[in-house]
Amino acid sequence: MSKAILLTLGWICVGLGFIGIFVPGLPTTIFLIIALWAFTKSSKRLRNWLLNHKRFGPILRNWQEHRVVPLRAKILMVILQISVVIIVQYTFDNLIITFGLTIILVAVALYVISLPSKAPEALGKIK
């Protein structure tokens, strides 16, 4: 993928993540993770900016270093997924679409839930 496309994708995801702070139901973290990926492949400066951001830096560093998804984010994700399935069924009234969407969302939920919720303690730390 070209650097320009990755930079554009990164900035779009940063924008969507920012909007997600204020719009209920629109995720923030996943867009910032995608932005981090795009910036990692295209701009060291922008990657460092995201990783050192006052609010999002710790979450993104935990993701990058340990694949950590906070418990609160997991719970919110499952609630939003259930809401989406209900809305899709109500909107389309089509069991095939609802079933297909449910299978995809359950697979995503199982993967995310299987990830750790906290970063491992520092090695060599005395308890």
Side-chain angles (χ1 to χ4, degrees), residues 63 67 69 74 77 105-116:
W63 168 256
R67 294 294 187 254
V69 177
K74 291 177 184 182
M77 178 199 69
L105 293 181
V106 165
V108 169
L110 289 174
Y111 170 71
V112 173
I113 290 169
S114 74
L115 297 170

Side-chain angles (χ1 to χ4, degrees), residues 24-42:
L26 185 64
T28 297
T29 307
I30 190 64
F31 287 121
L32 294 176
I33 289 171
I34 295 168
L36 180 62
W37 170 81
F39 289 157
T40 297
K41 296 196 171 284
S42 61

Side-chain angles (χ1 to χ4, degrees), residues 36 40 47 51 59-67:
L36 180 62
T40 297
R47 174 188 171 274
L51 288 174
I59 294 168
L60 293 172
R61 283 192 303 275
N62 275 337
W63 168 256
Q64 189 172 51
E65 295 169 10
H66 307 290
R67 294 294 187 254

